[in-house]
Amino acid sequence: MTAVSRDELPVEDRIDFENADRGFIGALVPGVVRDGEGRVVYDGDAYAFLNEGGCPETAHPSLWRQAGLCARQGLYEVTEGVYQVRGLDLSNMTLVEGERGVIVVDPLISAECAAAALGLYREHRGERPVTGLIYTHSHGDHFGGARGVLPHGTEEGVPILAPAGFLEHAVSENVYAGNAMVRRASFMYGDRLPKAPDGQLGAGLGTTTSTGTITLIAPTVDITRTGQEETVDGVRIVFQLTPGTEAPAEMNFLFPERRALCLAENATHNMHNILTLRGAVVRDARIWSRYLDEAIDFFDDAYDVAFASHHWPTWGHDNIIRFLAEQRDLYAYMHDQTLRMLNNGSTGPEIAEEMRLPPALDKSWHARGYYGSLSHNVKAIYQRYMGWYDGNPAHLWEHPPVELARRYVDLAGGTEWALAKARAYADEGDLRFAATLLNHLVFAEPENTEAKETLANVYDSLGQGSENGTWRNYYLTAALELRQGAGRVVIDTANAEMASALPVSMLLDSLAVRIDGPRAWDDHLTIDLVVTDDRHRHRVNLHNGALTHRAMPVHHTPKPHAGLTLTLTKAQLLGVFAGQGLTGVETDGDPELLARLFSYASEPDKSFPVVTP
């Protein structure tokens, strides 16, 4: 995965430690955040072990270094009038003081952590009201805590700024494939693992995700173009739109009078993901690089400090230019070299095995693969252009995992031979193939406890030797699941607050992806939803197991007539979807059609198995 050995890394370079500690004002003591029922939703104190001794044998030294930097917790001054709370969630909250109060940038993942972060700021800077809220981009760790800084009833008159397309992407990512993403995110962030030298050290991008209440307040001001300027609470802000980079909707922005540049999540102190292990739309490394290059020119010499939604700031104009240029080159190099090699006939895994970064990048701490990795990023770039199929027809119609596994075990000579051979590979240091062979054995015989324990041991070794925080967490969580079974998922991205932010069309989409198609094959029904405050009639059709819908003017009546028409507000529609019945809803037709429609909706398994069939 890397051309530079551990011994070649610039361990004498301490600038990251100086920057991570610079401007420290005070920490939250104790560094534990609880919800209203007393349940711990985030424990920053659990990472104290990272700064209490040297790197143990159970961790990669480079990841240990990064984890210690990310675990620093407290309120920090970035520059005059600009502060950050770091280490109280996976992400940072930035606070910019205005004429009357404070503008909050990225209110963390959960309302409880956001409230604690704001409370820490107010403890040291006074009881300033929140006079503006900015979402840098459409990922949940940058908007989920909105209600922690603007509780219900306090958002009136407070501008909420976000990049164009924010709401669509913020909601769609958490609803359409949200259940599967959350399940895999529990592996990626290691939320079941103990915080310990042989357990979860962090995620490279930060510590871990909080597990409190996820909320969302819809934006009131859209940023639609680069160069757009807005003034919030007397503070002038200049924006650069960067869609399709780290998020589908994202933006950088400058506070000119503070000479402070916010880089959102486009430039952080690690290699980022082109495709996350939890799953997402594949990102465009090419356009990501180009927007970083544009930022260098667009903001010119108007800043002295750059900060982001994760990690610590960079001070000094020349240092920022160098940082941005190296981040730019990192994503451009991965993109262009992957394309060069795929056009020579190499497949994704082949390119990932061969790819090496230029030494100057490989030795830069902020380009190391703590969160994204060179290996899985190269495969993602290949996937973006070529899809899942590598062109070899042997891979076009392979057996599914269980059937394939049974045949591999048979080829190995049966269970005992397969287990013995896998152990031999592990003893020889070939953990990668030992994992492959043992995985086949576990899928062929999921009740074989000896095979599962042997595979868990291999995953322990792979995880503890990994420089990448998310790989470590994934391997170690897989080992835990093999030993203890699937754990309960505590994060809920499909809650009422998220649903209320959905436009009606996306609310119907969220129902469509839950329809059990085979059970609905032989039914056909049509329902019209006249949503008065949405000012549209939504025709909903269930036909051939597919739920489709289209919007039209509220007074238009399409043919044929619907079997049921409901006239209602969006709030009432949310109540209907939540199973609260039709009280207060005007109905015309057969209400049983609604019950029939909902009878086909399935509930996803929030703890489906990942490392067993």
Side-chain angles (χ1 to χ4, degrees):
M1 289 174 58
T2 178
V4 175
S5 71
R6 298 182 185 189
D7 296 336
E8 294 177 282
L9 289 170
V11 293
E12 71 286 348
D13 179 4
R14 302 290 294 176
I15 190 65
D16 284 340
F17 291 90
E18 294 171 12
N19 285 345
D21 292 332
R22 180 170 172 173
F24 177 73
I25 296 173
L28 182 69
V29 180
V32 178
V33 180
R34 300 178 183 271
D35 64 13
E37 298 176 353
R39 181 178 67 91
V40 174
V41 299
Y42 184 83
D43 184 357
D45 290 347
Y47 293 97
F49 68 91
L50 288 164
N51 294 302
E52 291 176 348
C55 178
E57 292 183 357
T58 53
H60 192 292
S62 182
L63 178 61
W64 183 266
R65 172 190 183 275
Q66 179 79 351
L69 287 163
C70 290
R72 283 156 160 75
Q73 183 260 107
L75 176 69
Y76 296 80
E77 183 180 37
V78 176
T79 190
E80 184 178 357
V82 181
Y83 299 83
Q84 280 193 317
V85 176
R86 305 199 286 269
L88 282 184
D89 212 323
L90 181 72
S91 48
N92 300 335
M93 178 193 288
T94 304
L95 304 110
V96 181
E97 294 177 351
E99 294 176 353
R100 297 179 295 106
V102 64
I103 303 162
V104 173
V105 180
D106 286 354
L108 309 181
I109 294 176
S110 56
E112 294 85 353
C113 286
L118 182 59
L120 178 62
Y121 165 81
R122 285 173 169 166
E123 177 186 336
H124 294 278
R125 296 295 300 167
E127 290 291 326
R128 300 167 187 259
V130 174
T131 49
L133 180 58
I134 301 176
Y135 304 133
T136 60
H137 61 290
S138 52
H139 291 153
D141 51 329
H142 305 276
F143 66 76
R147 287 296 180 194
V149 298
L150 284 176
H152 287 281
T154 66
E155 70 269 33
E156 184 70 28
V158 178
I160 302 170
L161 289 71
F166 166 86
L167 196 59
E168 175 188 353
H169 294 297
V171 174
S172 64
E173 181 168 297
N174 287 283
V175 174
Y176 292 166
N179 189 68
M181 286 187 181
V182 166
R183 182 73 182 98
R184 281 168 49 163
S186 70
F187 280 70
M188 178 176 171
Y189 294 109
D191 56 19
R192 292 181 64 200
L193 299 173
K195 312 301 188 286
D198 61 349
Q200 206 263 10
L201 307 179
L205 192 67
T207 49
T208 191
T209 52
S210 63
T211 57
T213 307
I214 297 174
T215 61
L216 175 60
I217 307 174
T220 60
V221 179
D222 287 339
I223 306 305
T224 60
R225 60 181 176 83
T226 292
Q228 183 172 337
E229 294 193 18
E230 299 290 339
T231 299
V232 179
D233 192 13
V235 177
R236 186 164 67 98
I237 315 169
V238 181
F239 294 90
Q240 178 203 14
L241 274 185
T242 63
T245 51
E246 188 271 338
E250 191 150 357
M251 60 187 183
N252 300 325
F253 44 92
L254 175 74
F255 297 97
E257 282 68 43
R258 313 293 169 87
R259 294 188 61 80
L261 175 62
C262 176
L263 294 169
E265 205 167 320
N266 287 318
T268 54
H269 288 277
N270 55 208
M271 180 189 295
H272 215 297
N273 286 298
I274 305 304
L275 177 59
T276 67
L277 300 186
R278 65 181 170 83
V281 175
V282 179
R283 297 159 187 173
D284 187 344
R286 177 189 61 90
I287 203 69
W288 194 335
S289 172
R290 290 187 180 180
Y291 278 124
L292 288 171
D293 193 47
E294 180 184 81
I296 294 172
D297 178 66
F298 178 70
F299 294 112
D300 197 17
D301 63 352
Y303 49 84
D304 298 318
V305 61
F307 62 90
S309 303
H310 296 271
H311 300 140
W312 48 93
T314 300
W315 283 270
H317 187 264
D318 291 345
N319 294 330
I320 297 167
I321 293 292
R322 181 169 58 252
F323 172 59
L324 286 172
E326 289 177 347
Q327 287 274 302
R328 172 200 65 197
D329 296 346
L330 174 65
Y331 298 110
Y333 188 89
M334 284 192 293
H335 176 273
D336 295 349
Q337 296 309 304
T338 300
L339 268 290
R340 178 181 66 83
M341 286 190 263
L342 77 81
N343 278 317
N344 283 328
S346 294
T347 65
E350 291 168 340
I351 300 168
E353 199 71 12
E354 184 180 343
M355 179 79 77
R356 297 291 181 270
L357 289 178
L361 291 179
D362 213 11
K363 291 181 180 180
S364 295
W365 291 113
H366 67 83
R368 302 295 295 177
Y370 302 122
Y371 187 55
S373 78
L374 186 60
S375 177
H376 75 245
N377 278 345
V378 163
K379 293 170 187 173
I381 294 166
Y382 182 94
Q383 177 183 326
R384 180 179 179 88
Y385 287 95
M386 305 300 289
W388 63 269
Y389 180 46
D390 65 2
N392 185 333
H395 304 145
L396 188 58
W397 192 33
E398 289 185 307
H399 286 291
V402 170
E403 293 304 317
L404 198 63
R406 288 171 178 164
R407 287 159 175 79
Y408 272 112
V409 171
D410 181 59
L411 279 174
T415 300
E416 294 306 317
W417 272 103
L419 188 56
K421 289 175 180 177
R423 283 175 170 153
Y425 279 110
D427 290 342
E428 293 167 6
D430 190 351
L431 296 173
R432 294 166 68 181
F433 189 70
T436 298
L437 188 51
L438 286 163
N439 180 68
H440 283 310
L441 184 50
V442 168
F443 268 70
E445 299 184 6
E447 302 308 316
N448 189 324
T449 55
E450 188 176 9
K452 289 198 289 188
E453 179 58 30
T454 306
L455 179 55
N457 290 333
V458 169
Y459 283 157
D460 282 340
S461 297
L462 284 167
Q464 290 172 2
S466 178
E467 184 183 21
N468 182 279
T470 59
W471 283 33
R472 177 188 175 95
N473 293 337
Y474 225 100
Y475 280 129
L476 297 184
T477 303
L480 184 67
E481 185 160 309
L482 285 166
R483 292 177 175 125
Q484 299 182 11
R488 185 176 66 90
V489 173
V490 296
I491 297 176
D492 181 15
T493 61
N495 55 36
E497 184 89 34
M498 291 291 291
S500 67
L502 288 166
V504 174
S505 61
M506 292 180 71
L507 193 63
L508 293 170
D509 283 345
S510 72
L511 175 61
V513 299
R514 292 170 48 217
I515 295 296
D516 187 337
R519 286 203 300 115
W521 279 347
D522 299 323
D523 204 349
H524 180 203
L525 56 86
T526 301
I527 298 174
D528 278 0
L529 303 172
V530 180
V531 185
T532 54
D533 46 351
D534 174 66
R535 298 182 181 179
H536 282 91
R537 177 186 296 265
H538 296 265
R539 166 139 300 190
V540 179
N541 272 301
L542 181 67
H543 192 225
N544 290 323
L547 183 70
T548 59
H549 57 90
R550 66 181 185 274
M552 60 199 75
V554 68
H555 297 300
H556 179 65
T557 305
K559 294 181 180 180
H561 289 295
L564 171 66
T565 298
L566 303 179
T567 302
L568 71 180
T569 64
K570 184 186 173 186
Q572 289 174 316
L573 180 62
L574 287 168
V576 170
F577 271 58
Q580 296 172 9
L582 296 174
T583 303
V585 175
E586 181 182 333
T587 65
D588 180 12
D590 183 5
E592 286 302 312
L593 292 184
L594 189 66
R596 221 162 79 202
L597 173 62
F598 285 156
S599 74
Y600 297 121
S602 60
E603 286 297 325
D605 180 358
K606 293 184 179 297
S607 297
F608 59 78
V610 174
V611 293
T612 57

